[in-house]
Amino acid sequence: MDTLFIELTHRCNLKCTFCYRHKVEEKNDMSIETCIKILNEAKMIGIKSIAFNGYGENILHKDFISALKYASENFDKVHFNTNGLALNDELCNEILKINLDHIVFSVTGFNFEVYNEFQGSGLNNKIIIKNVYENILNFIEKRDSQKGKVKIFMQYIMTDKSRQDILKYIDFWKDKVDDINITYLNSIFDEVSSFNKKAVSSGKQKCPQIGKVLLVHSGGDVSLCCSDCFKGTSIGNVNEFPLNKLVSSDKFRYIEKVNDKLEIDKLPMICQKCDEIYENLFYDIQCKYSEIKEYIESIKKLKNEKLALFGVNTNMNKFLYALKIYSNNEEFIIVDNYKNGFYENKPILKPNKDILKERKVIVFADNKYNEIQSCLQNIEIRCVSHKQLVRK
């Protein structure tokens, strides 16, 4: 078990359209005594990382600072997520006294119109985004002046509607924070999804979360997944059993077993609806600005040139994320000698002269570049390495 997520409260001061919280009517606050009990039990079962992150706004909890401090004194890595709206001066000063790994500010939108649609609760109140930005900038200024070590990440939910603001958002934050997470939504519920992997999946795979993370809800229920707002993977409640009993329970072992055997139809229903179990070579639901910035200038130069992207791997993933953000170019195909199926919603094609002609071929498989280049030369197709593209 790697990470324990703790939801101190299910209350929130926003009603984000992409959050599942508003589908669950709860107003629980976890007591500080229960939180400390959970942290002690988590340490006993070998958990190293604590994330104060659930579906409520944890900094609204009256004992948030006490919980954060206790966790930081007992675990290697501690972080929390926040929308930033309630982050006042006093909280900033208290947080900066604590040894944290990082803080994630979840803010989607640079202009009022986008922010209001996604996070402003539809209140048409322009003061909300103004306060959020001022609060975060104030925290950054305090951290820098105190030479604090806590890393600061911004998080942006990427959808077709929010895409219009992403460039201004990145430009504003890129030199102020440590990194920017660009996140695509899971399609458990289609009305808020960014991309539905199920529609183009060639098969199913083992869920990477089961057995790696736990989420303790504010009422004490323990889920096997941090995306499980509805407690569909609940293995019990910490108010009734300690964590070590819950993670050795028959229910937990059964879910682990059927997941390992890929018996997906025996997993909880919420797991069967989740993107994580559907095979697709789409990189991830999240990328970081630091991972894609090397491709930005080359993508701007390519403009709407027809592309053939050769060799599905992490390098291609990063390039495609940058392409989505910095270009409207959909004139590309995905090519690979060995992989089949889909990459996001595009079929993976086998290379031949007919599909590659009149396209700029970019090779992402570094260890096979010379081999691919030689094969393409035999069919009179020129190519360039993605590394050469960046250097130009």
Side-chain angles (χ1 to χ4, degrees), residues 4 37-43 45 47 214-216 220 222 235 237-238 241-249:
L4 177 69
K37 169 183 175 291
I38 293 166
L39 290 169
N40 290 338
E41 291 171 1
K43 193 171 183 179
I45 64 173
I47 285 174
L214 294 174
L215 164 62
V216 183
V222 180
I235 55 171
N237 192 296
V238 291
F241 301 99
L243 278 179
N244 67 314
K245 293 290 185 183
L246 293 175
V247 298
S248 60
S249 66

Side-chain angles (χ1 to χ4, degrees), residues 195 200-203 279-283 307-313 316-317 320 332-352 355-356 364:
F195 168 65
V200 293
S201 174
S202 57
E279 284 184 349
N280 192 282
L281 294 165
F282 188 59
Y283 174 49
L307 306 174
L309 310 182
F310 203 127
V312 176
N313 59 16
M316 183 190 288
N317 291 319
L320 277 173
F332 65 90
I333 60 173
I334 307 293
V335 183
D336 197 291
N337 275 319
Y338 305 104
K339 294 184 173 69
N340 299 307
F342 285 82
Y343 186 105
E344 201 187 57
N345 59 353
K346 286 183 177 285
I348 299 172
L349 307 172
K350 298 303 176 188
N352 64 64
I355 66 168
L356 296 177
F364 293 88

